[in-house]
Amino acid sequence: MTPVRDVRTGSPTRATLDKATDENFPVAPFFLPRAWRDDLMAVYGFARLVDDIGDGDLAPGGADARHLGVDPAHAHDRLLMLDAFEADLRRVFDGTPHHPLLAALKPTVRRCSLTPEPFLGLIAANCQDQRVRRYETYEDLVAYCELSANPVGRLVLAITGTTSPERVRRSDAICTALQIVEHLQDVKEDLGRDRIYLPAEDMSRFHVTQADLAAPRGSASVRALVAFEAERAGSLLNEGTPLVGSVHGRLKLLLAGFVAGGRAALDAVAAAGHDVLPGPPKPTKARLMREVGAVLRRARREG
């Protein structure tokens, strides 16, 4: 296996992987077996890089474009970069990928017998972001999360050898919830990219306009809308939480961290009075640890 730590010597890949510390949940915590940590960081590197391509957040200098065979002068063409990234992903499965983060992914794919589908889903989600900037219904948003979030949970189950239909269903609920929570935290940032992930039918119901989302602070209507969507995310986390009790050992603690990250973020949103417009409400580490304990206690009761 090519450890991810070796990949980190390059500045662009280091910048990509270091973003793991900004997530609402632990990506590859120290208590996991080394092989799992390497595999999870390899998958995270892929997922983070494809999101950075889709958001136009690549490290300056054009190194990522060059690795993908794209003229750095065209690195701003996100669909072109995503197409090149997909081509390099396919080389993970049948050749030698060019990008260092995809080269680091190849041993994980081989060892864990991973298939292209979840990776292709994440790429498709970012392609959709270039074409679809508003979602009419909650169901439309959930369908987007099926591409943008759920593949990550399925990859975690595959890496840890714990895939089953029921676990996939619970994992999908957790991942969709985490994606919605992230959207709630990033309403202002997403609007700056001309994206709104709050369903249009809900905005209409709460009498919220795009201009309201651009305000320095959230009106009562905006805060009520955010509270409504937060409650939906919380219900999804409740639906997915039994996944934690269905596994054992250190994997239980990892999955509890995922769920707790979502719950702690929702608590931070609530503590801000559901006013997410001044900036993304972030949970403290102490709050995250308390939530981990609460999730583990609930898993024991339900187990």
Side-chain angles (χ1 to χ4, degrees), residues 8 11 16 103 106 116 119 149 154 157 172 183 186 194 201 231 233 243 250 270 280 300:
R8 293 169 65 93
S11 178
T16 299
K106 186 168 183 176
F119 300 103
R154 297 182 185 198
L157 294 177
D172 285 353
H183 289 329
D186 294 341
D194 191 27
E201 65 177 9
E231 184 176 357
L243 174 66
R250 286 175 280 188
R300 282 197 295 270

Side-chain angles (χ1 to χ4, degrees), residues 67-258:
H67 284 312
L68 297 174
V70 175
D71 184 336
H74 298 141
H76 64 280
D77 187 333
R78 299 178 191 180
L79 286 173
L80 176 65
M81 287 286 289
L82 288 167
D83 285 345
F85 191 63
E86 180 177 335
D88 207 31
L89 168 70
R90 293 186 184 279
R91 284 189 282 270
V92 171
F93 294 88
D94 61 13
T96 302
H98 302 156
H99 197 289
L101 287 175
L102 291 179
L105 181 62
K106 186 168 183 176
T108 293
V109 164
R110 182 175 59 247
R111 189 179 76 83
C112 302
S113 300
L114 303 181
T115 64
E117 284 72 25
F119 300 103
L120 291 171
L122 293 171
I123 295 174
N126 279 273
C127 289
Q128 183 168 314
D129 275 335
Q130 312 313 311
R131 302 184 178 100
V132 180
R133 299 184 177 275
R134 306 289 188 274
Y135 289 86
E136 181 61 31
T137 69
Y138 177 69
E139 290 71 26
D140 292 339
L141 182 63
V142 168
Y144 167 74
C145 293
E146 176 70 22
L147 296 173
S148 68
N150 298 1
V152 176
R154 297 182 185 198
L155 285 166
V156 170
L157 294 177
I159 286 170
T160 57
T162 53
T163 300
S164 73
E166 178 63 11
R167 285 177 176 146
V168 166
R169 186 178 74 81
R170 300 288 189 184
S171 172
D172 285 353
I174 293 170
C175 291
T176 293
L178 293 177
Q179 180 75 89
I180 292 173
V181 171
E182 183 177 333
H183 289 329
L184 294 179
Q185 291 174 301
D186 294 341
V187 167
K188 183 61 70 71
E189 179 182 336
D190 289 333
L191 185 61
R193 296 188 171 107
D194 191 27
R195 297 176 187 163
I196 297 177
Y197 294 102
L198 298 166
E201 65 177 9
D202 296 340
M203 290 179 62
S204 177
R205 172 182 174 184
F206 285 88
H207 307 289
V208 171
T209 67
Q210 180 171 323
D212 294 326
L213 300 182
R217 303 197 68 89
S219 65
S221 295
V222 169
R223 288 184 277 113
L225 171 60
V226 170
F228 176 72
E229 305 299 350
E231 184 176 357
R232 278 176 156 169
S235 295
L236 284 170
L237 283 175
N238 290 340
E239 181 182 339
T241 296
L243 174 66
V244 177
S246 76
V247 299
H248 304 283
R250 286 175 280 188
L251 178 57
K252 182 189 291 287
L253 187 56
L254 175 68
L255 298 183
F258 291 163

